[in-house]
């Protein structure tokens, strides 16, 4: 994956995370490498983010990719999205 593509995915994902964070009066001032739970996103918020990511990128995240490691930060989500998009369709 190109760095530009990674940045685009990360930027779009960051926008989704900011939107979810703003619903709970969390000041969405965090970076792409920050732990999402440390900025105040709950497990339910992370599920909302997962659904938003699937809709935004028109993908279905496979159960094997639904791990805390993949949803740790915007950077890890962006990497996971690119991996899912690059995988051959079954």
């Amino acid at each position: 994956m190109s760095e530009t593509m990674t940045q685009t995915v990360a930027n779009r994902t960051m926008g989704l995370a900011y939107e979810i964070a703003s619903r709970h009066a969390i000041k969405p001032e965090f970076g792409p490498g920050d732990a999402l739970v440390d900025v105040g996103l709950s497990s339910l918020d992370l599920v909302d983010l997962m659904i938003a990511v699937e809709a935004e990128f028109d993908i279905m995240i496979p159960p094997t990719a639904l791990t805390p490691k993949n949803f740790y930060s915007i950077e890890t989500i962006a990497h996971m999205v690119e991996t899912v998009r690059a995988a051959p369709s079954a």
Side-chain angles (χ1 to χ4, degrees):
M1 301 298 151
S2 73
E3 189 171 325
T4 303
M5 184 184 295
T6 301
Q7 192 62 34
T8 301
V9 172
N11 288 340
R12 289 168 61 186
T13 304
M14 184 70 94
L16 297 171
Y18 280 170
E19 182 180 328
I20 290 168
S22 70
R23 293 181 200 160
H24 301 287
I26 297 169
K27 194 170 185 180
E29 292 183 12
F30 52 92
D34 294 338
L36 294 174
V37 295
D38 290 347
V39 299
L41 293 182
S42 69
S43 57
L44 187 54
D45 293 329
L46 292 175
V47 170
D48 287 344
L49 182 56
M50 177 204 66
I51 293 167
V53 164
E54 287 183 327
E56 178 74 17
F57 297 103
D58 194 28
I59 60 171
M60 177 67 107
I61 300 170
T64 56
L66 297 175
T67 66
K69 177 182 153 193
N70 284 339
F71 283 86
Y72 175 80
S73 68
I74 299 302
E75 288 175 344
T76 60
I77 294 171
H79 178 72
M80 182 264 310
V81 166
E82 289 181 353
T83 301
V84 169
R85 290 169 87 184
S89 299

